Amino acid sequence: MQDIFAEDVGSGTPLVLVHGFLGSSDMWAPQIEFFKDDFRVIAPALPGFGKSSAINSCDSIECMAKAILNLLEKKEIKNFNLLGHSMGGMIVQEIAKIAGEKILKLICYGTGPRGNIPGRFETIDQSREKLKINGLDVTAHRIAKTWFIEEDKSKYFYLCDEASKQTSIEAADNGLVAMKNWSGIKNLKNIKNKTLIVWGDQDKAYNFNQVETLNNNIPNSDLKLIKGCSHNVHLEKPEEFNAVVEEFLIKN
């Protein structure tokens, strides 16, 4: 397995940030800046995405999870806090299944336990078809607009555009295939880690039923709703998002 790229800054207890579909490590810029004073922040770029775009992409969530675990093993990081967004939230659920004993605290953000996402603004198959017809630039821009209340007028929307430019059509299609074929429902009851679930109340990608299923089935979980946000809460209201995550990480 080839080594994926990761931002690695700060010192202290490791905090691993896993981006979502069509994302990159750069999309965590406000979080890296905020958390680096108190944590060792590690933000990987998934295979085929961002600064790992030259690496063969994965067509399964398990493959992505193992790429991150491989990265952490090479960095000799034995225990870590773990935060995953969207598709990255599926990946961290898979990491909890494979190596839950390594996770100190788990944060599932803007995500759900079903990869073939019910209630999404369009089906996974529709996204694959539009990707094939319209190409990556058009498709990525259209999808990313749904992630913000202010769509492409949002302050940090440019990070989404930059991330998509580093992604190949193959990586994007493989990401959609990986999500469609994944389900974490059966494993939720086995997640023993203290877990925070974060959701923007106007998320068009994951409806409330998704996050409610996480909260009702992960034994030691809390749900935090952030109002006036769509899918990218961490870029729409970074100060509020960071405060919620910080409080969860530092409390006993």
Side-chain angles (χ1 to χ4, degrees), residues 4-9 14-19 24-29 31-33 40-46 49-52 68 71-72 75 77 81-83:
I4 57 174
F5 170 85
E7 295 287 352
D8 187 346
V9 296
L15 170 61
V16 180
L17 307 175
V18 184
H19 69 76
S24 75
S25 50
D26 293 338
M27 286 176 68
W28 295 112
Q31 286 65 51
I32 293 169
E33 186 61 32
R40 179 181 175 184
V41 184
I42 298 163
L46 294 167
F49 294 89
K51 294 187 177 88
S52 299
I68 290 174
L71 168 80
L72 297 174
K75 289 181 177 288
I77 294 171
N81 294 302
L82 183 61
L83 188 165

Side-chain angles (χ1 to χ4, degrees), residues 84-152:
H85 175 229
S86 194
M87 182 178 79
M90 301 177 194
I91 295 165
V92 301
Q93 290 174 63
E94 192 69 18
I95 291 173
K97 180 181 175 182
I98 298 168
E101 73 285 352
K102 296 183 176 183
I103 301 169
L104 300 169
K105 289 186 178 180
L106 179 66
I107 302 169
C108 295
Y109 151 48
T111 193
R114 296 178 180 89
N116 200 13
I117 310 161
R120 186 173 180 258
F121 58 89
E122 65 189 21
T123 67
I124 297 283
D125 284 340
Q126 285 171 330
S127 289
R128 290 189 72 196
E129 190 60 28
K130 289 179 182 180
L131 178 66
K132 197 184 298 178
I133 294 167
N134 300 324
L136 183 61
D137 287 351
V138 170
T139 302
H141 191 89
R142 178 182 60 80
I143 289 175
K145 281 170 69 174
T146 71
W147 296 342
F148 298 86
I149 297 290
E150 297 178 354
E151 298 189 332
D152 52 1

